Amino acid sequence: MVTVVFRPEEKRVEVPPGTLLSDAARLAGVDILMPCGGQGRCGRCAVVVESGSVRRRSTQRLTPDDIAAGYALACQTLVESDVVVFVPPQERIERRIKETKRAAKIELPFPYDRHDQPLRKFAVTLEPPSLADQTDDWSRLQREMARRYGIRNLQASLPVLRKLPRALREGDWTVTAVVELDAWDRPEGPPRLIDVLPGEHLESLWAVAIDIGTTSNVVWLVDLMRGQVIAQAADYNGQIARGEDVISRIIYASKGNGLQELQELVMGTLNRLIAQVAAEQNIRPDEIYKATVAGNTTMIHLFAGIPPESIRLMPFIPVVNQVPTFPAREIGLGINPEGTVDCLPGIASYVGADITAGVLSSGLCDSDELTLFIDVGTNGEMVLGDCSWLISCACSAGPAFEGAGVVHGMRATAGAIEEVWINPETYEATYKVIGDERPRGICGSGLISLLAEMFITGVVDKSGNINLDLPTKRVRRGEHGPEYVVAWADETATGRDIVITAVDIDNLMRAKAAIYAGFSVLARSVGLTLQDVQRVLIGGAFGQYINVEKAIQIGMLPDMPYDRFHFLGNTSVRGAYYALVSREMRRRVTEVGRMMTYLELSADNTFFDEFNAALFLPHTDLSQFPSVAALVGEG
Amino acid sequence: MPVEIPVEQWPGRVIEETLGATPAEGGTRSRVVKVGGENTLPFMLTDGEMPNPPRIAIEILDQRPKDWSPLLLEAWGDVVDDPAKWAKAAEEAGADLVLLQLSLTRDGGKPTTAADAKALTRAVLQATGLPILVFGPGQVDADNELLVAVAEEAAGERIVLGICEEKNYRTIVAAALANGHLVNGRTAMDVNLAKQLNILIADMGLPLDRIIMDPTTASLGYGIEYGYSVMERLRLAALQGDKMTQLPMLVTPGFEAWRQKEAKVGEGVPASWGDWRQRAVLWETLTATNLILSGADIVVLRHPETVKRVRAFIDRMMAK
């Protein structure tokens, strides 16, 4: 017999060698949660072996660092000698799981140089006019800017000129000129006077980076003096009420004054966000002098008020891939009306500026490693390539992973079930809710986790059909056909059962199949296989919360070691930020746009085949998913 | 100059399956019928072997057909009023197998009951010594109820139960498992879907040598190219070693051909179409022979004259 001591409770128990730590814990009266029923799948029973010898039967869910630190899964670890085990508090485990399975942010990958971006502030003091020097105000300013700063041929619009006399005189002939030396579509200038302020105001210089997603909009307030993001705000796109996906928005825009309405709605959202970040820094929105904008092609069209109809119709051509630079006043964007709006370049109707921004900010184009970049969103855009070539496609995954098209789906906010475990013996579900509240629904990551668990435990077959013969009340025939009860009414915030229906599962299956089929077709189009991919970069706000293991189990992501996956969060707004703060980045994103090949899947006859093959758990060709095959005992 | 004929050697082989059981094997069939087992494309006997020729099943209904062409009714005569007599006539007409198709309702519109299904199965088993296939009406609840009864009634006979589909296979497969039968699974003209259903059925524990796949096809002139191509791709995958496609294929050219106006009706069609009787039988025959060339191991036919012609075709193709 050997002795197992469980700290911090200092409970001890004698067991024969070869006993599972989880059994020893039960005998010792130590409570260790095992939501997956002791299958080694959820990682929630992780403990720290402080001394003694153990054998880990499975280290799934543990990283090499974890193991080095003594972590072991109680349900998978056999004691071999006297051991001392520390049982960490539950919330520590959760945090650890989150940190190892989900990724971190990327910093600005280059040193900031404020002279490598075109927006400047110049303090300038003019000789006051006199009867002897009767030069007009504007020429006087131009003359001094040229003399003092070498800025020639300064241009100004009428609204700025109207401000000039008062600023000069209020500032007693000392003013701060906000000048944009060049812009995206006029890299050689001429410089343009955007604002003129009485006195000297050189402390800060504000601009915003904007991402217009179909679902959410993000604004980053950037101080161009330091190059840093000072404030962030995000909210749902006000257009959602007029359609969940781009196609329904395009249709809405084509009716009556739908286009104008949609533009006003998104402008409403953005202006509220801009006002919010401005208020946080105690500045006025008109002190923000520039906006750099990324977004999918439809969103950019609607933002600029350009009719998007042609995006939807064969042969799927946008009006413009890169909108020329224009002042904010032309569209009512709530920054300084003379401030420049730069939209990043898109590639095609369904691979937009959000993707070029993503490629730029993810570093895909800086490495010679074969990289797959995917923006997990409604449109499921993806890019394969390295520093010398890029190919992209978009597979309409639908909004299922964003909670739409699923009866109890919701976005990833408080009250959303974000992870589920199903006990393989009893088919009982345990779940984790964002904000530790009573659940109100299931978000995208929860749906992936739920589908994976239902598959692994046999609640659904490989086609996703719910097995109604299981001995549990959780499977039943509901008003939408077969369904599985994730949370009973008395556990939920709504007082109603939270279920996943056969129809929901079909939608999820189609979404994941579209994404994987996209990968397959992209790889095949260049004569490679997914096994050749060295890095997978996952962007998109929802992408941050995907559990790779579960996403592989359902066959949504290719089966490869977890350390090849990197989560980047919102790569679109980050790309806009890079392009805002650096001319070099602005140049590079244009180049990304030029070098990327676009594969139109509707013109590709292998997509449908690949889609049907992927419409199975994990895939019709199980050999593409060796880790899942091993898990379900078919390895 | 001597010409060397290139030989294509395939690493894979279609599983050989046995339909029916003799008294020695626990059934009452006068003989068993083997299907599949080939390791070459159809009739490429220089490349490999085809131990079993394609088999012919004749489809009979559990009652006088309501929407069949008058040509078929004329060909069979009064036996169509009695499934037992029809089964016997089918055997005499040269069938290898008899397929009993159950209907949703009986005379007077009453639903077909489990007891009806049992009695019909028993009657057909007694009337013919050939292995049989029994297909449900194609409506989920009725299929499950009737086929379970059929499976129990025919326990030990190694009959083929059909039709399993992706959304409804569990009950039928369980009944086959419990009573020693085979199942037929149908999918909608797609290689991956066919393979998926095979996997689903096999996942329930039914050995692969008790699963037949029906990739669905179409009649001559109505998309047979598509069905042909899917079957050809399935067979190529099987020969290349893809285990989950190495199952014999059953198709229903009789059903497909006879629902098209070229076969079904003799009036209101252009005179240039020629003699109806000849055309109808040719339509079914050509549909069937094409599908055999794309890899079908069992063709389900309707007209006795077609059976003769398809049999002659198979014999000629199998001759060394």
Side-chain angles (χ1 to χ4, degrees):
Chain A
M1 299 291 268
V2 296
T3 306
V4 185
V5 179
F6 290 96
R7 295 187 50 236
E9 294 178 73
E10 300 297 339
K11 290 189 174 165
R12 56 182 58 227
V13 64
E14 301 264 308
V15 293
T19 302
L20 276 176
L21 271 179
S22 53
D23 290 340
R26 193 167 36 77
L27 290 170
V30 174
D31 194 25
I32 297 179
L33 281 184
M34 276 187 286
C36 76
Q39 299 283 296
R41 288 190 281 107
C42 73
R44 300 251 284 197
C45 66
V47 295
V48 182
V49 178
E50 295 187 327
S51 71
S53 163
V54 297
R55 188 162 67 82
R56 291 172 176 83
R57 213 157 57 181
S58 159
T59 53
Q60 217 180 4
R61 279 282 186 180
L62 296 179
T63 63
D65 287 347
D66 289 336
I67 294 166
Y71 275 99
L73 302 182
C75 72
Q76 295 295 320
T77 302
L78 309 168
V79 293
E80 290 182 326
S81 71
D82 291 350
V83 292
V84 177
V85 171
F86 179 74
V87 183
Q90 193 59 31
E91 65 275 17
R92 225 171 91 180
I93 295 286
E94 270 174 24
R95 200 170 326 122
R96 199 185 54 77
I97 291 173
K98 246 185 234 165
E99 280 164 8
T100 55
K101 294 287 161 179
R102 295 169 186 178
K105 287 189 174 182
I106 294 179
E107 302 294 317
L108 199 61
F110 50 89
Y112 178 66
D113 172 2
R114 75 187 157 93
H115 298 295
D116 182 38
Q117 61 81 34
L119 199 63
R120 297 292 160 77
K121 268 183 174 177
F122 299 99
V124 57
T125 301
L126 312 182
E127 279 296 311
S130 64
L131 288 172
D133 178 0
Q134 292 213 316
T135 309
D136 62 280
D137 286 355
W138 172 231
S139 301
R140 187 175 298 269
L141 178 65
Q142 281 179 306
R143 187 178 66 195
E144 192 57 21
M145 288 293 288
R147 194 183 64 80
R148 176 88 191 275
Y149 297 108
I151 293 180
R152 289 169 213 291
N153 197 19
L154 185 65
Q155 311 280 304
S157 68
L158 208 46
V160 180
L161 284 183
R162 288 176 186 140
K163 290 173 146 185
L164 185 61
R166 196 165 158 190
L168 286 171
R169 286 161 184 87
E170 260 180 38
D172 198 16
W173 302 96
T174 293
V175 290
T176 301
V178 180
V179 176
E180 191 175 45
L181 298 176
D182 54 80
W184 206 308
D185 57 358
R186 39 182 179 87
E188 307 303 325
R192 202 166 66 87
L193 183 66
I194 291 180
D195 200 4
V196 57
L197 308 164
E200 212 180 283
H201 303 279
L202 299 178
E203 323 66 57
S204 53
L205 176 57
W206 300 102
V208 284
I210 294 176
D211 169 44
I212 308 174
T214 311
T215 304
S216 9
N217 296 167
V218 179
V219 171
W220 286 3
L221 180 65
V222 177
D223 177 1
L224 289 174
M225 288 295 177
R226 286 169 288 167
Q228 287 169 354
V229 177
I230 303 298
Q232 305 182 15
D235 197 2
Y236 292 120
N237 186 332
Q239 297 171 341
I240 287 179
R242 302 290 176 268
E244 295 264 0
D245 52 46
V246 293
I247 300 299
S248 43
R249 305 261 176 95
I250 294 172
I251 293 169
Y252 192 86
S254 67
K255 291 178 186 160
N257 59 349
L259 174 58
Q260 190 191 337
E261 190 188 337
L262 289 177
Q263 190 193 23
E264 284 165 5
L265 284 168
V266 70
M267 224 50 76
T269 304
L270 294 176
N271 290 348
R272 208 163 45 246
L273 293 172
I274 290 166
Q276 186 184 329
V277 291
E280 272 181 42
Q281 296 303 312
N282 288 315
I283 61 170
R284 295 183 320 273
D286 68 2
E287 293 176 62
I288 300 169
Y289 292 112
K290 185 169 179 174
T292 309
V293 184
N296 66 51
T297 307
T298 303
M299 288 304 113
I300 296 289
H301 276 59
L302 294 175
F303 170 74
I306 299 169
E309 281 91 313
S310 59
I311 290 175
R312 185 173 70 92
L313 306 170
M314 279 266 269
F316 317 114
I317 298 300
V319 175
V320 59
N321 275 326
Q322 184 167 22
V323 180
T325 298
F326 55 87
R329 65 178 139 79
E330 286 192 17
I331 54 164
L333 185 67
I335 62 172
N336 186 294
E338 294 303 307
T340 294
V341 179
D342 267 339
C343 296
L344 271 65
I347 309 295
S349 276
Y350 296 102
V351 174
D354 50 343
I355 299 309
T356 51
V359 168
L360 177 77
S361 68
S362 66
L364 198 170
C365 49
D366 303 329
S367 163
D368 57 7
E369 286 187 308
L370 180 62
T371 303
L372 180 63
F373 168 77
I374 170 169
D375 186 332
V376 187
T378 315
N379 304 320
E381 299 99 336
M382 51 193 74
V383 182
L384 182 69
D386 60 25
C387 52
S388 51
W389 58 275
L390 297 167
I391 185 165
S392 63
C393 72
C395 54
S396 174
F401 289 126
E402 299 184 34
V406 173
V407 174
H408 288 130
M410 63 181 285
R411 298 194 185 90
T413 54
I417 293 176
E418 59 168 346
E419 192 152 17
V420 183
W421 298 272
I422 296 176
N423 184 306
E425 310 287 327
T426 62
Y427 307 106
E428 286 299 295
T430 356
Y431 48 78
K432 192 150 123 5
V433 180
I434 298 176
D436 282 324
E437 299 181 5
R438 283 174 164 255
R440 285 190 294 122
I442 315 170
C443 66
S445 55
L447 290 167
I448 290 175
S449 162
L450 174 58
L451 184 57
E453 286 288 296
M454 291 201 295
F455 161 50
I456 298 297
T457 57
V459 173
V460 296
D461 66 18
K462 287 174 182 164
S463 264
N465 298 309
I466 294 175
N467 182 358
L468 286 171
D469 302 333
L470 293 181
T472 167
K473 278 191 280 190
R474 286 184 185 262
V475 293
R476 65 186 187 194
R477 232 173 243 291
E479 57 179 301
H480 305 281
E483 60 190 26
Y484 174 84
V485 182
V486 182
W488 296 106
D490 59 7
E491 306 162 16
T492 67
T494 54
R496 284 177 310 165
D497 294 345
I498 292 176
V499 303
I500 182 159
T501 68
V503 179
D504 298 341
I505 293 171
D506 281 351
N507 285 336
L508 290 172
M509 294 280 288
R510 278 199 290 274
K512 77 99 186 172
I515 290 171
Y516 191 81
F519 296 155
S520 306
V521 172
L522 262 196
R524 187 186 287 220
S525 73
V526 289
L528 295 169
T529 73
L530 288 173
Q531 276 65 44
D532 299 320
V533 171
Q534 291 161 287
R535 292 193 298 170
V536 182
L537 308 179
I538 301 177
F542 158 65
Q544 269 173 292
Y545 304 105
I546 297 180
N547 177 321
V548 176
E549 183 186 5
K550 301 291 176 191
I552 291 173
Q553 283 171 7
I554 65 168
M556 173 176 155
L557 294 178
D559 195 355
M560 52 179 71
Y562 300 153
D563 58 12
R564 290 198 204 167
F565 292 90
H566 304 274
F567 295 92
L568 307 178
N570 188 327
T571 51
S572 176
V573 70
R574 184 172 288 123
Y577 164 49
Y578 290 5
L580 171 67
V581 299
S582 158
R583 283 193 189 98
E584 166 64 9
M585 288 292 144
R586 189 174 79 183
R587 191 189 61 72
R588 299 249 310 258
V589 74
T590 305
E591 196 180 290
V592 165
R594 275 201 211 103
M595 73 188 272
M596 197 185 303
T597 307
Y598 173 67
L599 188 67
E600 172 57 51
L601 291 182
S602 64
D604 185 292
N605 54 15
T606 61
F607 180 74
F608 185 68
D609 242 17
E610 293 288 351
F611 175 75
N612 268 342
L615 204 54
F616 209 54
L617 292 171
H619 192 272
T620 308
D621 178 7
L622 194 58
S623 69
Q624 292 185 34
F625 288 84
S627 83
V628 187
L631 190 65
V632 297
E634 295 176 25
Chain B
M1 203 176 93
V3 176
E4 194 174 324
I5 297 173
V7 172
E8 187 98 53
Q9 292 245 337
W10 301 92
R13 179 187 283 274
V14 177
I15 294 173
E16 182 172 76
E17 305 190 358
T18 305
L19 279 62
T22 61
E25 295 148 335
T28 61
R29 304 300 81 204
S30 51
R31 61 185 162 98
V32 301
V33 169
K34 294 193 175 203
V35 298
E38 57 268 39
N39 66 348
T40 176
L41 289 170
F43 309 117
M44 297 297 286
L45 300 175
T46 48
D47 288 353
E49 54 170 0
M50 215 177 156
N52 302 296
R55 305 295 188 182
I56 297 171
I58 291 182
E59 177 184 2
I60 67 170
L61 267 55
D62 56 358
Q63 57 196 291
R64 173 175 279 270
K66 293 184 180 64
D67 59 351
W68 279 27
S69 169
L71 289 186
L72 287 168
L73 298 178
E74 180 191 295
W76 288 110
D78 288 342
V79 301
V80 298
D81 291 312
D82 181 347
K85 286 184 185 157
W86 197 351
K88 197 161 187 301
E91 184 172 352
E92 285 160 5
D96 298 309
L97 302 161
V98 173
L99 188 153
L100 171 63
Q101 174 66 56
L102 299 175
S103 310
L104 203 51
T105 55
R106 305 293 299 153
D107 293 336
K110 283 179 309 197
T112 308
T113 63
D116 294 334
K118 285 189 177 207
L120 287 160
T121 304
R122 177 56 48 204
V124 170
L125 282 170
Q126 281 167 355
T128 176
L130 299 179
I132 68 164
L133 308 85
V134 182
F135 285 5
Q139 194 262 330
V140 171
D141 292 332
D143 277 5
N144 289 342
E145 185 194 347
L146 301 182
L147 290 172
V148 168
V150 167
E152 287 167 359
E153 184 65 24
E157 296 279 10
R158 272 186 96 86
I159 70 169
V160 179
L161 298 169
I163 295 170
C164 293
E165 292 183 298
E166 185 257 326
K167 292 287 175 205
N168 186 50
Y169 65 91
R170 286 184 175 280
T171 308
I172 301 169
V173 174
L177 268 170
N179 298 286
H181 300 308
L182 291 79
V183 299
N184 178 60
R186 177 179 286 173
T187 46
M189 283 206 212
D190 183 275
V191 173
N192 283 297
L193 297 184
K195 197 175 156 185
Q196 288 167 10
L197 182 57
N198 297 340
I199 294 172
L200 293 175
I201 294 172
D203 275 356
M204 284 191 69
L206 194 67
L208 287 180
D209 70 358
R210 282 160 65 186
I211 307 171
I212 293 170
M213 59 177 169
D214 175 355
T216 308
T217 182
S219 161
L220 186 66
Y222 291 84
I224 194 172
E225 309 80 6
Y226 201 87
Y228 186 104
S229 159
V230 167
M231 290 169 69
E232 189 179 47
R233 285 176 58 202
L234 275 168
R235 183 49 47 87
L236 286 170
L239 294 176
Q240 280 160 6
D242 183 349
K243 217 169 143 45
M244 283 298 167
T245 58
Q246 291 173 340
L247 306 178
M249 290 187 279
L250 173 151
V251 283
T252 54
F255 166 79
E256 295 296 343
W258 284 101
R259 68 194 178 124
Q260 307 306 349
K261 63 179 178 300
E262 284 82 349
K264 193 169 183 175
V265 295
E267 288 168 10
V269 300
S272 58
W273 284 14
D275 179 66
W276 175 31
R277 281 161 199 278
Q278 271 200 48
R279 183 178 72 237
V281 170
L282 275 174
W283 215 263
E284 188 182 19
T285 304
L286 283 171
T287 302
T289 51
N290 269 293
L291 295 175
I292 285 171
L293 288 173
S294 72
D297 294 282
I298 301 175
V299 287
V300 183
L301 302 178
R302 286 187 171 173
H303 198 288
E305 177 59 25
T306 311
V307 173
K308 274 188 208 155
R309 296 187 189 191
V310 173
R311 173 74 66 208
F313 167 78
I314 293 171
D315 289 347
R316 261 209 317 277
M317 295 302 287
M318 289 299 287
K320 298 259 170 168

